[in-house]
Amino acid sequence: MGARDLSCFAVRFGIDPAPLETVAAKYPVRISPYYLSLIREPGDPIWRQCVPDPRELVDDQLPDPLDEERLSPVPGLIHRYPDRVVWLVSGECAVYCRFCMRKRRLGQAFPSTDDDRAAPLDYIASHPEIRDVILSGGDPLMLADGELDDLLGRLRAIPHVEILRIGSRVPVVLPERITPNLCNLLRKHHPLYLNTHFNHPVEVTPEAAGACARLADAGIPLGNQTVLLRGVNDDPATMTLLMQRLLAIRVRPYYLHQMDLVRGTGHFRTSMACGVRIMAALRGHTSGMANPYYVIDLPGGKGKVPVLPESVRREGGSYFVTTYTGEVVEYLDTTEGC
């Protein structure tokens, strides 16, 4: 479903399409037929993640709080940590998540020709300290099989690149894309890892489980990065069930992300105390494998930091967080939610 289908969608659920269309004019909408079929009623966990909300237009946070543009030595490549880079290889997603960390780029075309991709490949090849390349976007699995195979092959040809990773929500929102042909293609480029993005137990359907099984059977280790979202998964029972269901389909919980300070997403943000309570409810009450790292991706490109007693202290309304470099960064918390 795209923006032009919003009116029919709104009629189906008995709501006024005008507010949705106003938001979609600034932040585009796209929902795969499969993911749309998971919506049961307005405001349910799937609805909140993919249907436009007027609150997106009143949030005054930063468009690029993680400073990705500043950390891009060449277009499309983000070099934040010494030994790894993120390469934005696609501008397409099967679903435009309303909480997207790159919300500023929704619907924008990404470089896609050989000439466009020459600069990132040359940069990676000329920096021998880069051993780990993460393909992101958009969604890398929205590329055609041949295009994806070519990209992975070019990266594999760089001697110092040891690990390839793909960040994709396709197994969650477009599981039919995970075909045997795609899995055979990915199998050629080991060691290759894939992190996907389940946020709620109802997303762990038989279709999604089948997609993850095909990837796991191809020898691809699967991890999951969940975002803590107000009104979606901000309670211990929901999060515990999600993590348990992920392990049952061979997906290891990896990160629980504190919501980034991205413009247009403030209505999803919880307090950090909410995340701490959820983590406390997980520890000891379910398998240790079901406990992700609870992390903040600090503004200004300072990197991800786990919320642990030794790395975070609170003073008033602020947290002071110690980064992996030893720098202490002030992080202003919200008091709302959970």
Side-chain angles (χ1 to χ4, degrees):
M1 184 182 81
R4 67 182 62 185
D5 304 308
L6 277 175
S7 292
C8 294
F9 172 80
V11 168
R12 170 186 163 191
F13 284 99
I15 63 173
D16 180 6
L20 306 186
E21 292 168 345
T22 300
V23 178
K26 181 172 184 179
Y27 298 122
V29 59
R30 177 180 291 175
I31 311 173
S32 68
Y34 163 78
Y35 201 62
L36 186 65
S37 75
L38 302 184
I39 294 176
R40 294 294 172 258
E41 61 184 5
D44 73 14
I46 304 301
W47 175 290
R48 288 177 181 269
Q49 292 184 71
C50 63
V51 176
D53 187 312
R55 289 176 293 180
E56 295 175 42
L57 301 179
V58 298
D59 184 35
D60 62 354
Q61 294 293 336
L62 302 172
D64 182 23
L66 305 184
D67 251 8
E68 290 187 335
E69 305 296 339
R70 180 180 64 83
L71 295 169
S72 293
V74 297
L77 198 72
I78 302 162
H79 195 173
R80 179 186 302 171
Y81 299 105
D83 71 337
R84 53 205 182 274
V85 293
V86 175
W87 187 3
L88 309 181
V89 297
S90 169
E92 295 294 320
C93 290
V95 171
Y96 289 155
C97 300
R98 310 318 297 176
F99 51 87
C100 181
M101 64 178 292
R102 300 192 180 104
K103 197 176 181 85
R104 68 192 186 278
R105 304 188 73 158
L106 287 183
Q108 293 184 11
F110 273 50
S112 59
T113 67
D114 283 348
D115 288 344
D116 294 327
R117 289 175 174 157
L121 284 166
D122 288 346
Y123 181 88
I124 294 167
S126 64
H127 285 75
E129 71 275 18
I130 297 173
R131 53 180 293 276
D132 185 354
V133 177
I134 301 120
L135 300 186
S136 185
D139 197 308
L141 296 189
M142 294 299 287
L143 296 176
D145 285 1
E147 191 174 7
L148 182 60
D149 191 23
D150 179 66
L151 277 180
L152 293 171
R154 293 189 190 196
L155 289 168
R156 265 288 155 250
I158 299 173
H160 54 265
V161 173
E162 300 172 5
I163 297 169
L164 299 177
R165 287 192 271 171
I166 293 174
S168 174
R169 205 164 189 227
V170 158
V172 185
V173 300
L174 192 68
E176 62 267 33
R177 170 70 181 100
I178 310 299
T179 63
N181 187 65
L182 174 65
C183 294
N184 287 332
L185 176 166
L186 296 174
R187 190 199 302 265
K188 292 164 34 182
H189 301 286
H190 283 312
L192 185 146
Y193 298 78
L194 191 145
N195 279 322
T196 189
H197 186 173
F198 289 88
N199 287 323
H200 194 276
V202 300
E203 295 174 329
V204 187
T205 63
E207 293 85 356
C212 291
R214 290 189 288 277
L215 290 164
D217 287 346
I220 299 168
L222 300 175
N224 188 73
Q225 302 192 65
T226 294
V227 179
L228 181 56
L229 300 169
R230 194 199 311 178
V232 174
N233 58 17
D234 57 337
D235 67 274
T238 298
M239 197 66 74
T240 300
L241 183 58
L242 172 61
M243 300 306 162
Q244 292 171 338
R245 287 188 176 177
L246 289 174
L247 286 179
I249 63 169
R250 292 188 281 173
V251 178
R252 177 72 183 267
Y254 179 37
Y255 281 147
L256 172 62
H257 281 274
Q258 177 68 11
M259 184 70 220
D260 292 329
L261 304 172
V262 178
R263 182 174 296 162
T265 67
H267 56 293
F268 285 113
R269 200 163 300 120
T270 70
S271 66
M272 281 177 55
C274 174
V276 171
R277 283 195 293 271
I278 287 172
M279 292 303 301
L282 286 171
R283 289 195 184 97
H285 296 281
T286 190
S287 166
M289 292 190 299
N291 284 242
Y293 288 103
Y294 176 39
V295 296
I296 313 167
D297 209 342
L298 289 170
K302 302 295 185 180
K304 294 183 183 71
V305 176
V307 180
L308 300 169
E310 61 269 27
S311 62
V312 177
R313 61 182 170 84
R314 183 161 190 167
E315 293 183 10
S318 294
Y319 284 88
F320 290 84
V321 183
T322 304
T323 73
Y324 73 99
T325 64
E327 181 182 359
V328 178
V329 178
E330 183 178 6
Y331 182 86
L332 185 62
D333 190 27
T334 179
T335 57
E336 298 178 356
C338 196

